Amino acid sequence: LLVAKTRPAMVHLSKQFSERRIKKTYVAVINGIPSEPVETSISTEDALKIGVSVNEGEKDCKWQIIDHPLDEKSAVTVWKPLDYVKSLKAKDGILTLVEMKPKTGRYHQLRRHMSWVKDCPIIGDKAYDGGGDAMSLRGRGLFLCSNSVTLEHPYFNTLEGRAEWDVLPENEKWAGGTLALSKDGTTIEVHASIDLPNKFQSFLKKERERSSLDLPFDQD
C-alpha cells in the first residue's frame, strides 16, 4: 500500500503508475508444477531489458516469460520457481512457490496467467482455480502477496529535492537501505519490501508434513 503525504507526491506517484515505471514483485503458492519451456526462458539481462526489477547479481538465474494478451491487450509476466513442496491435495502432488514480476498491469493478470497459461492456479483463488479438487485447498485466503516495490522518490527527484538530498550526511542519505541510486545514477529510487505473511510458511510446512505422514485430507 502506497500513501502519498502531499498532493505533489500523489501526482508524481500516479504518473509513475500510469506510465508503468513502478516495478512490483509478487510471491504466490500455485497448484502444480508450472512448465518451463526453453523457448520462453530468459536471462537476468533479458529481464532487466524488459524493465522488471531483478537482482543484477544473479547472472546465471533463469526466468520464464509469459507474453499472453488479456482482454485484447498486451500482458507480460516474468516469473521463476522458488521452491517445490509435496502435497497430498495438490495437482501432481506438488505445490510451487513462485516469484512473479508483472511488466503490465491487466485485471487479475497474475491470477489469470498462472491459471490459464500455466494451468497452475494460485492457491485459494476461487475465481480461477477451476473448482473440483482445488476446492480442498481453499479456506485460508488467496496465497498471493505483493512483497516488494521499486519506485522513483516523488520529492528527491525534483530540482529542489535533489539539491537537499545531495548534501545529506551519508548516514541519512540512504534511509537505512530504503533509498538507492538508479544504475545510471540519475534517479533516486525507493526500494521497499516486506516479509511474506506467516500463513505462507505455515501452510507449506503443514502440507509437507501431511505428505510425509500420508494423513487423510480431513486431518488439519
Side-chain angles (χ1 to χ4, degrees), residues 3 16 18-19 22 26 38 40 42 62 65 78 89 98-99 109 131 137 150 154-155 158 168-169 182 200 206 215 219:
V3 179
Q16 289 187 61
S18 66
E19 295 177 353
I22 292 183
Y26 293 78
V38 174
T40 56
I42 63 173
K62 289 296 183 182
I65 185 169
V78 174
K89 300 179 182 181
V98 295
E99 182 174 286
Q109 175 176 315
L137 290 166
T150 299
Y155 176 65
T158 64
L168 285 175
S182 60
F200 275 68
K206 181 177 290 186
L215 294 176
Q219 291 190 22

Side-chain angles (χ1 to χ4, degrees), residues 37-48:
V38 174
E39 55 268 26
T40 56
S41 175
I42 63 173
S43 65
T44 293
E45 183 178 357
D46 293 331
L48 288 169

Side-chain angles (χ1 to χ4, degrees), residues 5 29 37 39 58 83 87 109 121 134-135 190:
K5 297 175 68 175
V29 181
E39 55 268 26
E58 298 180 340
D83 195 13
S87 169
Q109 175 176 315
M135 295 175 67
V190 179

Side-chain angles (χ1 to χ4, degrees), residues 135-150:
M135 295 175 67
S136 66
L137 290 166
R138 294 178 183 175
R140 302 173 183 84
L142 183 67
F143 280 81
L144 173 66
C145 174
S146 174
N147 68 320
S148 178
V149 64
T150 299

Side-chain angles (χ1 to χ4, degrees), residues 22-28 52-55 63 78 80 82 98-102 110 144-150 192-194 196:
I22 292 183
K23 301 173 182 178
K24 295 166 283 187
T25 298
Y26 293 78
V27 172
V52 296
S53 178
V54 298
N55 187 346
W63 295 83
V78 174
K80 68 176 180 180
L82 298 175
V98 295
E99 182 174 286
M100 301 179 290
K101 299 176 180 287
L110 301 179
L144 173 66
C145 174
S146 174
N147 68 320
S148 178
V149 64
T150 299
S193 61
I194 61 171
L196 289 178

Side-chain angles (χ1 to χ4, degrees), residues 162-219:
R162 184 59 183 259
E164 287 186 24
W165 184 83
D166 284 338
V167 298
L168 285 175
E170 283 297 312
N171 63 340
E172 297 180 18
K173 184 172 286 188
W174 309 108
T178 303
L179 300 184
L181 280 175
S182 60
K183 188 175 181 180
D184 60 11
T186 62
T187 306
I188 300 171
E189 298 176 335
V190 179
H191 294 254
S193 61
I194 61 171
D195 293 332
L196 289 178
N198 291 333
K199 75 171 188 176
F200 275 68
Q201 289 306 320
S202 64
F203 170 64
L204 293 175
K205 180 182 179 182
K206 181 177 290 186
E207 289 302 304
R208 184 183 287 112
E209 291 174 347
R210 190 200 309 270
S211 178
S212 65
L213 296 174
D214 197 18
L215 294 176
F217 287 175
D218 59 355
Q219 291 190 22

